[in-house]
Amino acid sequence: MDRKTQPPRLSVIGLGKLGSPMAAVFGAKGFDVVGIDLNPAFVQAINEGRAPVQEPGLQEQLDRARGRVRATQDWNDLVTSTDISFIIVPTPSGPDRMFVNRFVVDAVERIGAALRGKPDYHVVVVTSTVMPGSTDGEIRAALERSSGRTVGQDVGLCYNPEFIALGSVVRDMLFPDMILIGESDARAGEMLEQVYRGSVDSKPEFHRMNLVNAELCKISVNTFVTTKISYANMIAELCDHLPGADADVVTRAVGADSRIGRKYLKPAIGYGGPCFPRDNKAFAALGRRLGVNTALAEATDAINEHQFQRMIGAVAACAEPGQAVAVLGLSYKPDTAVVEESQGVALALQLAEAGYQVRVFDPLAMSAAAAILGDRVTRSETAADALRGVAAAVLTTPWAAFKEIAWAECGAAAVIDPWSLVPRDAAGTVRVVRLGQGDWRRGAPSLNAAAA
């Protein structure tokens, strides 16, 4: 069959938490995929059909893709045997809170060098989150310099970020709300659109635009979501001080308005993880650099950081320093072991510093958290072990397994439940404290006062 009538061959640069699911999903949908990673263990795992990272659904996708996904550490092999290259490598935050593109630029330069030995048109896709102006700036310059080609003529360049979350990466890739494509030229954008039309199970909106609009759209989406989270938590704190008020009831009704929507408008605890906190800070940093007022993003961060003090206050209302307290949930969200910007880890450290005997448990993140927590806390083998005899327990991650705990027999005197996981009628004599429901704070000492 003529090469032009076949689906494009795809390559994925970076086979970590996001790149390996991307390669697997594309392969499971019938695309031939070549991946590359500096970590030889990731390369070996992919070639053996094993998931190199822990992510729900990843192994199943690799099983479906068997024979269509392979990995290499040879850049010439990667580029010459494929038509479109997706770059999904880290873009860490710099001291100024802006994203640093060094890993993206390095990948682009390696692709460009390999393109010098390939006559065909090739599309380079930046999937990593970058600051507005990056793709058409230093990334484009690096590609043209290393390849000897002109972007938009004999090489395509796209910015195509994913809207996904760890713990649901595969599902999010299969069922996106929209596909965002920033394109250097229509040919590149069309090739990329056709890949997604053949790889998703939903019917997303396709939004194709220039590169800088797509970059701004990505960071704007995440910043808007964090604003909704902080707004819901602000409502919840008002409800803390109003007897009879219930933040869940209020936000469900507010979210019913189609101008607002219910997604992410749920009070609980502050947001964490590798994306939301840094993206919001980057948005504010961009405003400062451009001389634009981004006070809303800064306020969102301030309210988010304040949520930690609300949890501290709830613990102080239920337990005194010297007593045992359990922190259930160390990953920043369910179904992942990632503890970056974890509210649970931060809470455990703060309580230990204040003199509490802290026990911790998480279904997946114990090893990752141990490197941060050290011997300042007691790591429990099970949730039941962590709860036995504690003055208070805090549910910091809404793991489904925590709903199954026999709370009436758990041995805890109180449970602080920001997620409304614990049925009051099943809690027995355990006091259930739900942030955002009623005036539980009245008369409660601050942590500092309790520690004095």
Side-chain angles (χ1 to χ4, degrees), residues 270 304-313 343 346-348 350:
N304 191 62
E305 290 166 5
H306 175 65
Q307 302 317 304
F308 186 74
Q309 297 307 317
R310 288 181 65 219
M311 285 198 297
I312 292 288
Q343 297 279 300
L347 180 65
Q350 182 71 25

Side-chain angles (χ1 to χ4, degrees), residues 13-14 87-93 100-104 128-129 278:
I13 293 88
I87 300 172
I88 189 161
V89 298
T91 48
S93 299
V100 178
N101 295 328
R102 64 178 180 272
F103 299 121
V104 174
S128 306
T129 303
R278 75 175 200 131

Side-chain angles (χ1 to χ4, degrees), residues 31-45:
F31 292 92
D32 290 329
V33 184
V34 182
I36 196 167
D37 199 282
L38 297 177
N39 187 337
F42 285 5
V43 172
Q44 181 178 352

Side-chain angles (χ1 to χ4, degrees), residues 72-158:
T72 183
Q73 290 190 300
D74 183 335
W75 287 87
N76 286 323
D77 173 26
L78 180 92
V79 172
T80 57
S81 61
T82 62
D83 307 299
I84 304 176
S85 295
F86 293 82
I87 300 172
I88 189 161
V89 298
T91 48
S93 299
D96 60 356
R97 302 294 191 179
M98 307 280 269
F99 305 143
V100 178
N101 295 328
R102 64 178 180 272
F103 299 121
V104 174
V105 170
D106 178 69
V108 164
E109 289 176 340
R110 291 173 181 267
I111 292 170
L115 282 173
R116 288 183 176 270
K118 177 184 177 182
D120 302 329
Y121 180 82
H122 196 92
V123 178
V124 178
V125 181
V126 177
T127 299
S128 306
T129 303
V130 299
M131 297 302 299
S134 295
T135 309
D136 210 19
E138 66 172 327
I139 294 171
R140 176 182 185 137
L143 180 57
E144 292 186 332
R145 182 176 61 250
S146 59
S147 67
R149 301 187 183 197
T150 301
V151 167
Q153 296 182 18
D154 45 7
V155 63
L157 179 61
C158 291

Side-chain angles (χ1 to χ4, degrees), residues 352-420:
E353 186 176 324
Y356 290 88
Q357 300 176 42
V358 181
R359 305 176 194 167
V360 299
F361 174 75
D362 188 280
L364 283 182
M366 295 295 282
S367 296
I372 303 171
L373 296 172
D375 60 2
R376 287 168 284 190
V377 305
T378 298
R379 294 187 291 278
S380 301
E381 294 293 327
T382 65
D385 290 340
L387 290 168
R388 195 169 295 116
V390 299
V394 190
L395 299 180
T396 45
T397 311
W399 284 96
F402 294 163
K403 296 180 182 179
E404 309 305 320
I405 293 173
W407 289 101
E409 293 85 40
C410 73
V415 55
I416 299 162
D417 180 19
W419 304 96
S420 300

Side-chain angles (χ1 to χ4, degrees), residues 1-21:
M1 183 180 293
D2 188 288
R3 175 69 243 160
K4 293 181 180 179
T5 65
Q6 296 177 340
R9 302 162 299 175
L10 312 178
S11 51
V12 177
I13 293 88
L15 295 172
K17 295 180 176 67
L18 304 181
S20 56

Side-chain angles (χ1 to χ4, degrees), residues 63 135 190 205 242 255 268 329 365 436:
D63 291 342
T135 309
E190 183 63 26
E205 293 187 18
L242 293 168

